[in-house]
Amino acid sequence: MRSRGYLAFIVGICVTAATCGFVAMTQRQQVQANFQRDVDKVAHDTEVRLQTYFDVLLAIKGMYALEQDIDRLRFHRFVAELKLDRRYPGFQAIQFVRAVPQARLAPFVAAVKGDTSIEAGGYPGFLVHPANLRDPHFIIEYTEPLKGNENAFGLDLSALPPHLKALELGRDTGEIVATERITLVQDATGEPGFVARAPVYRGGPPQRTVEQRRDALVGFVAIVFRVGTLMREVIDAPLLEHLHVRIDDDGYFDAKAAPASSADTLLYNSAGTSGMRPPRGEPLDGLVSQKALMVGQRRWLMRFEGYGGGRYGRSPLPVLLIGVAGFIISALIAALLVSTRRVVDAKHGLEYSLAELERQKANVEQARSDLAVVVETLKQAQTNLLTSEKMASLGALVAGVAHELNTPIGNSLLTASALSDMVRDFERRLVAEGGLKRSVLEAHLHDARKACDIMNSSLTRAADLITSFKQVAVDQASGQRRRFQLDEVVHDTLATYAAQLRRNGCEVRVDVPPGLEFDSYPGSLSQVLSNLIGNALLHGFDGRGHGAIAVEARREGADTVKLTFSDNGAGMTAGTLHKVFDPFFTTKLGQGGSGLGMNIVYNIVTGVLRGTIRVDSSPGAGTTVTLMLPMRAPQEAPPESQEA
């Protein structure tokens, strides 16, 4: 009996050690997941911020597309309406670079010096610098704000090889092109910066070939950035105490050989620019990551390193408590086995053994109570995770619709500004000339009508997006039962994911006939479709440049509809398919997957909608999800289904 006690003690110690190892590993995985989430957020926020600024650049280019003869006063007014210091603090300046042939250089300089549209005395000190004989010249004609950027006024970029290379590439491709890392002439601090420029062409000639684009070039609209200022908008300062971020310029995307990381390629270093000390020692094991961003035809490499502290630290207390508790329990079990020998050997030990058993029983009861508390805590955690999953779905809807609304609203704002300028010009000419020719009036009416059509089309698009989002968001948030058309719910849900689907190169085909009227829960059905779309993007099309999704519906019988959702993604193995509805099962642990998506889908379909679900898939052949849904759901859904 004594040997059995020793054996039980050794087994208990081994189990305790294994449990401690498992808890330590779980803590490490959680730290890595937190680090990866921070990395993804910083990279995504940087990309979104740059895209927002580039959209402003395209808006300025659009202003030149409407009317290319934009003088200094109108350019100044347009930029002033942007309110750079409040809405776009990452900008250093907005510029217009004019292409000036050598033969027209002298008249151009004279025209700038005599420009009194803003300054009453003109710009008598205007000088093209540095002097060079390259033809044509690319001269910064307008720069807003002028204060603080005086050194850039009149700068001839054709004399500066980094700028000239970017200008020629933008001229030939017609795309936004960014420069390599440069030191801005208007910045005395020496902080790294770059310039993004978009070419402006004359509206008449065709622009299909490189030669045609070169002949039609008028100039460039440009935005000047200081990278440190830009990143301070993106990254929260407290995060930099634990996360080191470094950004290097890796050259143009089609370059045969990228330059090695050095001081010449360094765009941003959080350790050197955030005011904190450089991190000491090596980063924590596994907390190193790298992301690549495409910025104006150039590739930026973002390197991330995580360091110890409150954000990525691992507490030894749980492991210590488990170890102490396991040692005590193992010792108690061993003592219990040894004590039974005393019961067999002598009667006088019976009372002692009974007392020992009572103490062990009390320990077991305490352990059972503790276990019940743990089980209740786990149930509450599962409920919170399910709620977070649903709210994350609504968050994805908000992000998608916000991205879609950016273009029509921006177009409307730009067109309204241009229309306002045309009306002011028309009024000025009417007052100055005392009358207008019929042709001038007709041209003004034509331009005004065209501007109104553009604003009407853009605002109608924005209104349709908002209507779809409001219906889907209200349905998912309220969970109320109502009558609805199936095709409207499907189209509204897909509309809210249009930006994500387009960004992933995903083609969508919908074959849902009109007239399928349901008396059910549209919010729950929209939640199911949202989870299926999210699974297709996260799992099915992972690593693929394009894909296809099909949504089809057919009536089956008098009161049943067969709804099929299919994709041509990576598919699933038999083992994955067998566990697809299990809670917390995911093939993307720590990469964005919670393991609750398909479990929520199953609970909603079988519990709330009172239907059935079947999943068919094989590796490389895509996935098909078939839902059999009653057109009239029961009046009361089971409580457990509603909770799920």
Side-chain angles (χ1 to χ4, degrees):
M1 294 299 294
R2 181 171 296 181
S3 62
R4 292 181 180 179
Y6 293 151
L7 179 61
F9 179 78
I10 294 173
V11 171
I13 293 299
C14 293
V15 172
T16 301
T19 304
C20 292
F22 174 79
V23 171
M25 181 182 66
T26 302
Q27 284 186 333
R28 179 179 180 183
Q29 291 175 346
Q30 184 62 41
V31 168
Q32 291 177 340
N34 293 339
F35 170 77
Q36 191 60 45
R37 182 167 57 253
D38 291 340
V39 167
D40 293 340
K41 182 180 185 302
V42 171
H44 177 265
D45 290 351
T46 303
E47 183 178 17
V48 169
R49 178 67 65 174
L50 286 171
Q51 185 59 50
T52 300
Y53 287 166
F54 285 178
D55 287 344
V56 174
L57 187 61
L58 293 177
I60 302 174
K61 179 178 178 180
M63 177 180 67
Y64 276 90
L66 288 175
E67 184 176 355
Q68 294 178 357
D69 190 16
I70 304 295
D71 58 18
R72 186 181 307 276
L73 178 59
R74 297 173 70 183
F75 188 89
H76 171 77
R77 288 176 176 174
F78 180 85
V79 175
E81 287 297 325
L82 295 178
K83 297 179 176 58
L84 299 182
D85 55 343
R86 180 165 55 86
R87 298 175 58 193
Y88 305 99
F91 288 0
Q92 170 70 19
I94 297 181
Q95 302 171 340
F96 176 70
V97 181
R98 189 175 297 278
V100 182
Q102 178 65 31
R104 295 181 54 83
L105 182 60
F108 168 79
V109 173
V112 174
K113 289 183 177 181
D115 187 352
T116 60
S117 59
I118 298 179
E119 295 290 338
Y123 305 92
F126 175 77
L127 178 66
V128 176
H129 60 283
N132 77 98
L133 299 178
R134 184 180 293 273
D135 191 12
H137 301 270
F138 296 103
I139 303 173
I140 298 177
E141 183 179 7
Y142 306 152
T143 180
E144 294 291 339
L146 182 58
K147 184 177 181 180
N149 296 286
E150 293 87 353
N151 291 342
F153 186 35
L155 184 65
D156 188 354
L157 301 177
S158 63
L160 306 174
H163 292 277
L164 180 60
K165 182 177 181 181
L167 290 168
E168 291 176 342
L169 179 60
R171 174 197 63 191
D172 294 345
T173 61
E175 302 292 335
I176 295 177
V177 177
T179 65
E180 63 188 46
R181 177 195 187 274
I182 60 173
T183 300
L184 305 177
V185 296
Q186 60 268 50
D187 187 1
T189 65
E191 182 176 342
F194 74 99
V195 183
R197 301 186 180 94
V200 175
Y201 303 100
R202 289 190 297 275
Q207 303 167 14
R208 290 186 292 271
T209 67
V210 173
E211 292 300 324
Q212 289 173 343
R213 286 191 286 269
R214 290 181 178 180
D215 293 338
L217 181 69
V218 174
F220 299 83
V221 290
I223 296 179
V224 182
F225 296 91
R226 285 182 295 181
V227 183
T229 304
L230 175 67
M231 296 308 296
R232 280 192 289 273
E233 294 182 62
V234 175
I235 307 177
D236 295 331
L239 181 61
L240 295 178
E241 297 178 5
H242 312 281
L243 183 68
H244 176 228
V245 183
R246 176 189 173 100
I247 303 177
D248 285 282
D249 182 4
D250 201 39
Y252 289 105
F253 72 93
D254 57 350
K256 295 182 179 179
S261 297
S262 65
D264 294 332
T265 65
L266 178 63
L267 289 168
Y268 177 76
N269 186 348
S270 63
T273 60
S274 65
M276 60 174 286
R277 296 181 178 178
R280 297 180 178 179
E282 296 295 327
L284 295 179
D285 185 26
L287 300 190
V288 177
S289 182
Q290 180 171 295
K291 296 278 187 179
L293 294 182
M294 297 307 300
V295 179
Q297 311 295 315
R298 297 188 72 85
R299 183 170 51 246
W300 285 10
L301 290 182
M302 304 184 69
R303 297 178 173 88
F304 303 86
E305 296 176 348
Y307 292 85
R311 193 174 187 88
Y312 303 130
R314 293 190 290 266
S315 174
L317 183 60
V319 177
L320 180 62
L321 291 177
I322 292 174
V324 172
F327 178 84
I328 294 175
I329 292 174
S330 300
L332 291 175
I333 293 175
L336 176 62
L337 292 176
V338 172
S339 65
T340 57
R341 180 173 180 270
R342 298 177 181 176
V343 176
V344 176
D345 293 340
K347 284 185 177 182
H348 64 270
L350 180 58
E351 293 180 356
Y352 176 83
S353 297
L354 291 176
E356 185 68 18
L357 286 175
E358 287 296 326
R359 286 194 296 271
Q360 296 300 324
K361 181 179 179 181
N363 292 334
V364 171
E365 287 295 328
Q366 182 62 39
R368 187 185 66 80
S369 299
D370 294 341
L371 183 59
V373 173
V374 171
V375 170
E376 185 63 28
T377 302
L378 288 175
K379 288 182 178 179
Q380 183 63 36
Q382 183 180 11
T383 301
N384 293 338
L385 285 174
L386 292 173
T387 303
S388 299
E389 185 80 3
K390 294 181 179 180
M391 296 308 296
S393 176
L394 284 178
L397 301 185
V398 173
V401 171
H403 182 81
E404 286 295 306
L405 287 177
N406 185 49
T407 298
I409 293 177
N411 289 340
S412 299
L413 177 60
L414 176 62
T415 306
S417 300
L419 180 58
S420 176
D421 290 341
M422 288 191 295
V423 172
R424 292 193 190 99
D425 184 66
F426 182 83
E427 292 175 346
R428 179 186 60 76
R429 295 181 63 179
L430 181 60
V431 173
E433 300 176 8
L436 294 176
K437 296 181 180 179
R438 181 184 181 87
S439 59
V440 174
L441 178 59
E442 290 177 348
H444 174 74
L445 292 176
H446 176 269
D447 292 340
R449 189 161 46 249
K450 183 176 181 181
C452 290
D453 291 341
I454 292 174
M455 288 190 292
N456 182 62
S457 174
S458 298
L459 293 176
T460 300
R461 171 61 178 161
D464 292 341
L465 286 172
I466 291 173
T467 300
S468 298
F469 168 70
K470 285 172 61 180
Q471 188 60 62
V472 172
V474 169
D475 284 340
Q476 289 196 16
S478 65
Q480 296 298 316
R481 178 194 185 102
R482 65 177 176 86
R483 289 183 177 274
F484 62 93
Q485 297 292 328
L486 179 60
D487 58 334
E488 294 178 358
V489 171
V490 171
H491 282 94
D492 287 348
T493 303
L494 289 173
T496 59
Y497 283 87
Q500 299 180 42
L501 294 169
R502 183 167 58 253
R503 185 165 56 250
N504 286 273
C506 184
E507 178 185 357
V508 180
R509 180 174 60 85
V510 179
D511 184 11
V512 180
L516 295 178
E517 185 180 65
F518 276 65
D519 181 9
S520 187
Y521 300 89
S524 298
L525 180 56
S526 178
Q527 178 72 36
V528 170
L529 292 174
S530 298
N531 284 16
L532 295 179
I533 294 171
N535 276 354
L537 294 177
L538 180 62
H539 301 279
F541 303 138
D542 186 23
R544 299 189 176 197
H546 57 84
I549 289 176
V551 182
E552 300 176 356
R554 292 292 182 270
R555 186 187 289 271
E556 296 281 338
D559 191 37
T560 303
V561 170
K562 178 181 179 182
L563 180 63
T564 304
F565 181 96
S566 60
D567 64 68
N568 64 346
M572 292 181 282
T573 63
T576 301
L577 187 61
H578 179 70
K579 296 185 289 185
V580 69
F581 294 125
D582 292 353
F584 304 107
F585 171 75
T586 178
T587 60
K588 293 287 185 179
L589 183 62
Q591 305 177 38
S594 65
L596 292 174
M598 290 305 292
N599 181 253
I600 291 175
V601 168
Y602 179 84
N603 288 334
I604 291 176
V605 171
T606 60
V608 178
L609 302 178
R610 294 297 183 91
T612 62
I613 181 171
R614 186 180 79 250
V615 180
D616 300 305
S617 181
S618 59
T623 301
T624 299
V625 181
T626 303
L627 309 178
M628 300 297 293
L629 302 175
M631 300 180 68
R632 179 178 178 81
Q635 290 297 325
E636 299 268 318
E640 61 272 18
S641 298
Q642 293 176 347
E643 181 183 20

